[in-house]
Amino acid sequence: MMNTMTTDELTIAIAVPLEAEFVGLIRAVDPAITVLYDPDLLPPERFPADHAGDPDFERTPEQEERYWAMLNRAQVLYGFPNESPAGLARIAGSNPHLQWIHAMAAGAGGAVKASGLDTETLQKFRVTTSAGVHALPLAEFSTFGILNGFKRSAEMAQDQAAKFWPELRTPTKLVNGSKLVITGLGEIGMETARIARALGMRVSGTKRNVEEIDGLENVTGNDGLPGLLADADAVVNTLPGTPYTEKLFNRDIFSAMQRGTVFVNVGRGTVVDEEALLEALDNGQVSYACLDVFAVEPLPQDSPLWSHPRVLVSPHTSALSSAENRLIAERFCSNLRTFLAGGELPHLVDPVHFY
């Protein structure tokens, strides 16, 4: 349990681009807190929720000094400095009274790991993620991927481009009554399950801490995944990239799927062996793949995934929505109230395993 923080000693610094109206939401949590915000020191957003901002933005030496002086005054940061692992590493060394950083990403563990900070240093302050903020857009995208696969949108697009009207009509797959397996029944997975069930799908999935979940047919650990896949019509991966999930979807797992399975990945690209996925696509085990994440990003130009006729490539943007900055600010405000009350912050990054 954290000690209760008195508001007259709490300073929050906004380290990433954020609209003034959402800074106002943070200030309104408690009038006694100090919120440091200087938009002149932050790069302009190129699109909604552009947390890194314009890469061509450069601070003058005087602005750079002011930016770091502002961050070093705060006990709490909204965003990683410069939205980068290097910025996190620098602030960890320069701000001795840092207590908490709220990250913009749901999967901020990768950036924390990339900072190179040791476990002892990382245990001096907390890092929370924006997990959950992206659950609905990711769940909607996952549903879009399932529907694309079941309704043969890739084939129809090819026929349309060729102005080809087939003589024999090919039926599409019915979503209602089909079986979906979700790897990772966290907030994204559960939101995906909610929408899938509304469409009449039967849903099972995997969870690190196995437990019965109301409305789901079967919940297992990852070791039970082959059994779940044997009669699944679609699979959605939401798992983060960790040493325990790396290439979880390998040749053996794809071989465990029934022919024609639709595969969607909104977790992390490292969870999938892409060579094995391509083999599964080519041999018909996987009928369609809707991919928002890849082992290497941006996806290399020579990747066969770009041109595969039954693959949709999304440039890791499916979590984005015009409401993101508001949703993250609201999540931060909720966390801030918990922090001020001395409660346990949700969605903490594990300083050892980085998830």
Side-chain angles (χ1 to χ4, degrees), residues 106-142:
V112 175
K113 183 178 182 180
S115 72
L117 294 169
D118 58 40
T119 304
E120 183 181 356
T121 301
L122 288 171
Q123 288 174 334
K124 293 178 181 178
F125 56 89
R126 295 167 177 82
V127 177
T128 53
T129 76
S130 292
V133 164
H134 306 102
L136 181 56
L138 286 170
E140 288 183 352
F141 183 85
S142 298

Side-chain angles (χ1 to χ4, degrees), residues 278-301:
L278 284 161
E279 288 177 12
L281 282 159
D282 291 340
N283 66 28
Q285 211 80 27
V286 172
S287 62
Y288 177 80
C290 180
L291 309 173
D292 185 51
V293 289
F294 303 89
V296 176
E297 296 180 359
L299 183 63
Q301 291 291 303

Side-chain angles (χ1 to χ4, degrees), residues 150-167:
F150 281 26
K151 303 307 177 185
R152 301 179 52 254
S153 66
E155 292 96 325
M156 284 190 282
Q158 290 162 38
D159 287 349
Q160 181 176 346
K163 299 180 181 178
F164 173 67
W165 190 286
E167 289 184 19

